[in-house]
Amino acid sequence: MISMSILACNYQTATETKEKDTTMKTFDEETFQAKLNYTDYHSYARIEEAVVNHLSWNAEVDFDQKVINATATYKINNKKGVDTIYLDSRNLNIKEVRRDDHEGPLGYMAHDRSNFLGTELAIPINPETNTISIDYSTTKGAAALQFLDPVQTAGKKHPFLFTQSQAILARTWIPCQDSPGIRFTYDANVTVPKGMMALMSASNPSEISEDGMYSFEMDQAVPSYLMALAVGNISYQSLGNETGVYAEPEMIEAAAYEFADMQNMVDTAESLYGPYRWGKYDVIVLPPSFPFGGMENPRLTFATPTIIAGDRSLTALIAHELAHSWSGNLVTNAAWEDIWLNEGFTVYFENRIMEEIFGADFANMLAILSYQDLNDEIARLTEEGKAADTRLRVELKDRDPDEGLTAIPYDKGFYLLKLIEETVGREKWDEFLKSYFEKFAFRIMTTDAFVYYINNQLINQNEAWADQIRLDEWVHGEGLPDNCPIVNSTRFIQVEDQLAAWQNGAEPSTLASTEWMTPEWLHFLRNLPNEMSEDQMKSLDDGFGFTNSGNSEIVSAWFEKVIPNNYQKAEEATEEFLIEVGRRKFLVPIYKAILKSDNGKTRARSIYEKARPNYHAVSSETLDKMLLD
Ligand code: BES
Ligand code: ZN
């Protein structure tokens, strides 16, 4: 793999503020540039030699064969006048490669590594070459794609297709330079069966076209992991000036109700950290097999239907994906080792949006849940001999970047930023963050460059701050530094009191729980004793209806607690949930709990056998390792 240097990076220099700020004198441009150098171990592209600038994608979605037939035409920039451009692909059926300055089909090299990196495409070019074109089709092994049969949708009548490109799956449906540091604009013409709608991370239609043809325009440069496509029987409802929701017609009303706060969220986010730069902010509610909670595809967040709780209580996830419109989509992690720069900043930003809309006590509850997740994750990774993965910046050379996708970049990242906020004060911190998003918009950031930048721009302004924060220990050290902020919540203390009352014999119906929102229920469930009797579980279930709760977070937290206690009344519901829902975050802990219970391996495998055909490859790859090895 090739080291990349971003010498051409023309981010705005900070000269304007130089006079005002004495610490700027220590900021050395060359040093900073050097720290922006990085190696992407997960792409064959050679960023300093030749890159793609624009993609024109012509595609036809074939639901019978479950493939996409397409031509990808790239405008290229041969920076060094080299004779080869390198692209990533994986499990693609490449039919023909052409070049604007060459007659007829072009010979090229395909070097297959037979692993998650896929196949290196080496395409011969000249200094004069402007465009290259690749005719190809996807194959059954396209890990980004999930073709759903009608029975797997809400409407049950039409098939559905969606993609999930992050981290390195874009190459399984489009040959591309699949590196977060390479941005390109795109346009697309997509043909789908009549009666279906196609949507991308681009300008989108709001109605189904007569002829099944759709054109897309994405005039803001994005990295490949933000390329996205969804096709199905989809309808649209506007929610505000710049916001709206897409879903199957059967889901659209519930979705519109659930996301009524979305325009307010966008306004709030803008008031915190500057303008929303992507035009529209829409969300599509996908079928339940979507393997993540949400994915921040520009202009069109992809979301799991498991956040439709009916009471708007799980919309922090929308705040999270929206926040990525700044942290991630504007300022992008250079390589997957730096993913905390995307996710940690986003969890922080999400928490600030929730604080504005639902109040500090609500945001504090979310922060405490995040603290619990963080400590659980550190304990798990340490136990599994992976303590090195508790560092904010993880080592992913020769590893699938999916392995870096733990709670660490999210929750440890969040707590570091919270610590900085508390140390320097919210005003200075917000000012810093706002200008950070502005200055590095549409550019990449490495961990090293960020550390250098924040030290010079913020932390060194006060002698005491560096010692109070201990940035290096947070970024490169294992575990949780002892200066991690402690968040308190009176609402959680009240939950703990009620839990104690129940443990002392109070009936569930007498507990003061009528005002509880999802975080309170989660705190209650997570703190139930590990061992419970059949009677105890039954009385809780009768009192609160956990087993049949329509709230996916609550129901999965409940399953995790009762499975080890062999609560038979929940067995059927657990199985139904595992067959219906494909969101990996829920599946992994539930299957783990089953594995640990009596006769667990047999039961887990028998459920998995039924459920696996419903899962997207992201989830089944993880679960195969857990259940089939
Ligand atoms: N961008 C992530 C999902 C992702 C990260 C996919 C890395 C593949 C590789 C998305 O924004 C995310 O974090 N989703 C979370 C939402 C939650 C933290 C609110 C999820 O899916 O659970
Ligand atoms: Zn995220």
Side-chain angles (χ1 to χ4, degrees):
M1 236 65 37
I2 302 297
S3 289
M4 306 173 182
S5 61
I6 312 294
L7 295 173
C9 175
N10 60 338
Y11 75 97
Q12 279 180 323
T13 53
T15 24
E16 308 91 270
T17 51
K18 230 170 195 166
E19 286 82 26
K20 279 186 259 162
D21 186 351
T22 50
T23 60
M24 284 301 300
K25 292 204 182 92
T26 61
F27 187 87
D28 177 53
E29 185 59 37
E30 233 169 90
T31 311
F32 179 70
Q33 286 297 328
K35 287 178 187 292
L36 273 176
N37 289 350
Y38 66 101
T39 301
D40 184 349
Y41 295 113
H42 302 107
S43 172
Y44 296 119
R46 300 188 184 182
I47 190 171
E48 78 267 54
E49 294 183 3
V51 291
V52 303
N53 278 336
H54 181 85
L55 162 67
S56 290
W57 195 57
N58 265 296
E60 182 238 318
V61 180
D62 181 342
F63 277 96
D64 295 329
Q65 301 298 318
K66 301 192 172 173
V67 296
I68 299 175
N69 301 305
T71 300
T73 300
Y74 283 106
K75 285 197 183 117
I76 64 168
N77 174 7
N78 189 347
K79 294 181 181 172
K80 292 256 172 79
V82 291
D83 60 10
T84 310
I85 186 167
Y86 294 89
L87 268 63
D88 300 293
S89 71
R90 184 179 146 199
N91 291 334
L92 292 177
N93 177 10
I94 307 280
K95 295 174 184 160
E96 189 174 298
V97 178
R98 291 180 303 277
R99 200 171 79 194
D100 67 328
D101 58 338
H102 178 93
E103 285 274 319
L106 193 67
Y108 64 95
M109 300 277 282
H111 188 175
D112 184 9
R113 258 64 164 198
S114 299
N115 67 2
F116 48 84
L117 292 180
T119 302
E120 175 188 63
L121 293 181
I123 300 172
I125 52 171
N126 280 321
E128 299 76 42
T129 306
N130 290 313
T131 64
I132 52 172
S133 284
I134 305 172
D135 295 341
Y136 70 98
S137 40
T138 60
T139 64
K140 287 269 149 48
L145 302 180
Q146 192 176 14
F147 280 93
L148 297 170
D149 293 326
V151 292
Q152 295 168 292
T153 66
K156 314 276 180 224
K157 287 204 198 79
H158 300 269
F160 204 102
L161 164 68
F162 66 81
T163 62
Q164 167 58 41
S165 298
Q166 198 184 10
I168 55 166
L169 301 180
R171 66 190 68 179
T172 72
W173 64 290
I174 307 182
C176 59
Q177 291 189 317
D178 202 5
S179 176
I182 301 178
R183 303 180 88 96
F184 53 93
T185 51
Y186 75 85
D187 64 79
N189 288 308
V190 181
T191 307
V192 301
K194 279 184 195 156
M196 305 193 82
M197 188 187 275
L199 300 167
M200 293 192 80
S201 48
S203 60
N204 273 312
S206 54
E207 274 170 18
I208 291 180
S209 77
E210 299 250 305
D211 55 4
M213 281 162 58
Y214 295 88
S215 304
F216 302 91
E217 199 68 58
M218 184 43 158
D219 54 9
Q220 292 164 297
V222 291
S224 57
Y225 80 89
L226 295 175
M227 303 261 327
L229 172 70
V231 182
N233 179 26
I234 299 167
S235 53
Y236 180 69
Q237 190 163 320
S238 168
L239 294 172
N241 290 342
E242 330 159 74
T243 52
V245 61
Y246 291 92
E248 287 185 69
E250 293 76 9
M251 293 286 289
I252 193 80
E253 238 177 88
Y257 176 84
E258 206 75 20
F259 303 148
D261 262 326
M262 236 163 71
Q263 184 63 47
N264 188 13
M265 279 186 183
V266 175
D267 298 343
T268 305
E270 290 191 305
S271 72
L272 283 167
Y273 297 125
Y276 177 76
R277 303 274 290 263
W278 305 89
K280 292 209 65 185
Y281 181 74
D282 293 324
V283 173
I284 176 169
V285 178
L286 293 163
S289 66
F290 187 59
F292 290 105
M295 176 64 214
E296 66 273 25
N297 298 314
R299 300 189 194 176
L300 182 64
T301 283
F302 280 25
T304 169
T306 62
I307 50 166
I308 313 274
D311 60 0
R312 301 178 179 163
S313 62
L314 300 178
T315 50
L317 187 133
I318 299 296
H320 178 96
E321 304 313 332
L322 169 66
H324 271 305
S325 306
W326 288 258
S327 43
N329 297 3
L330 279 186
V331 187
T332 307
N333 52 211
W336 298 115
E337 285 81 357
D338 305 302
I339 194 171
W340 76 278
L341 295 174
N342 276 19
E343 297 300 343
F345 278 63
T346 298
V347 175
Y348 177 82
F349 194 164
E350 164 199 345
N351 199 261
R352 292 293 302 276
I353 296 172
M354 296 312 277
E355 179 183 323
E356 290 294 321
I357 297 181
F358 295 99
D361 56 346
F362 191 86
N364 284 345
M365 293 194 290
L366 297 179
I368 296 173
L369 293 173
S370 148
Y371 186 77
Q372 293 166 354
D373 291 340
L374 177 55
N375 280 299
D376 290 352
E377 192 77 310
I378 290 172
R380 178 186 73 86
L381 289 167
T382 309
E383 221 166 86
E384 290 177 3
K386 296 187 199 152
D389 287 347
T390 65
R391 298 167 184 204
L392 262 185
R393 190 186 182 285
V394 280
E395 287 301 335
L396 294 172
K397 186 167 185 276
D398 300 325
R399 299 170 78 191
D400 188 329
D402 204 44
E403 289 186 44
L405 203 56
T406 68
I408 303 298
Y410 289 82
D411 300 314
K412 190 175 178 182
F414 166 69
Y415 269 98
L416 167 60
L417 300 192
K418 199 168 173 61
L419 170 67
I420 300 172
E421 181 212 307
E422 289 182 6
T423 307
V424 308
R426 188 169 269 196
E427 206 180 318
K428 267 205 177 338
W429 167 240
D430 280 355
E431 198 186 307
F432 167 83
L433 257 192
K434 195 172 174 175
S435 77
Y436 169 77
F437 292 136
E438 163 94 32
K439 210 165 247 168
F440 299 106
F442 299 100
R443 312 215 176 276
I444 51 115
M445 187 53 66
T446 63
T447 300
D448 272 3
F450 174 73
V451 167
Y452 185 76
Y453 181 76
I454 193 174
N455 275 332
N456 279 284
Q457 298 289 316
L458 186 66
I459 296 177
N460 293 348
Q461 283 182 25
N462 183 308
E463 266 175 23
W465 288 347
D467 290 342
Q468 281 166 17
I469 295 167
R470 312 199 312 251
L471 192 52
D472 265 351
E473 184 184 338
W474 274 86
V475 172
H476 299 295
E478 293 175 1
L480 193 58
D482 60 15
N483 60 349
C484 183
I486 302 291
V487 178
N488 295 304
S489 159
T490 46
R491 286 170 70 170
F492 274 3
I493 292 170
Q494 189 263 350
V495 171
E496 288 154 23
D497 291 345
Q498 296 307 296
L499 188 64
W502 173 75
Q503 281 182 286
N504 289 327
E507 284 297 314
S509 60
T510 66
L511 301 186
S513 65
T514 43
E515 304 285 308
W516 287 0
M517 294 173 77
T518 304
E520 279 121 327
W521 285 113
L522 292 178
H523 193 60
F524 182 82
L525 287 164
R526 287 178 178 196
N527 288 289
L528 284 172
N530 285 332
E531 279 177 32
M532 288 183 285
S533 68
E534 181 80 20
D535 280 354
Q536 282 180 309
M537 293 186 287
K538 192 174 171 318
S539 92
L540 285 174
D541 209 6
D542 290 345
F544 300 128
F546 291 135
T547 298
N548 297 313
S549 163
N551 184 313
S552 56
E553 294 279 353
I554 289 175
V555 98
S556 63
W558 170 245
F559 290 158
E560 264 186 78
K561 278 288 175 180
V562 298
I563 290 165
N565 290 295
N566 297 309
Y567 181 54
Q568 308 213 325
K569 251 192 82 194
E571 277 184 11
E572 210 183 297
T574 306
E575 191 166 324
E576 278 168 19
F577 186 87
L578 291 174
I579 290 172
E580 160 99 357
V581 175
R583 186 174 170 190
R584 183 168 67 176
K585 177 190 123 172
F586 292 144
L587 300 180
V588 169
I590 297 176
Y591 276 111
K592 265 193 190 159
I594 297 177
L595 278 179
K596 276 195 230 145
S597 67
D598 302 341
N599 233 333
K601 196 158 184 178
T602 315
R603 182 162 173 244
R605 283 189 171 184
S606 113
I607 298 174
Y608 188 50
E609 206 176 306
K610 285 181 244 169
R612 193 177 182 280
N614 287 334
Y615 296 156
H616 184 275
V618 161
S619 292
S620 59
E621 272 177 31
T622 304
L623 294 169
D624 282 357
K625 285 187 204 116
M626 243 176 84
L627 294 164
L628 303 182
D629 281 353

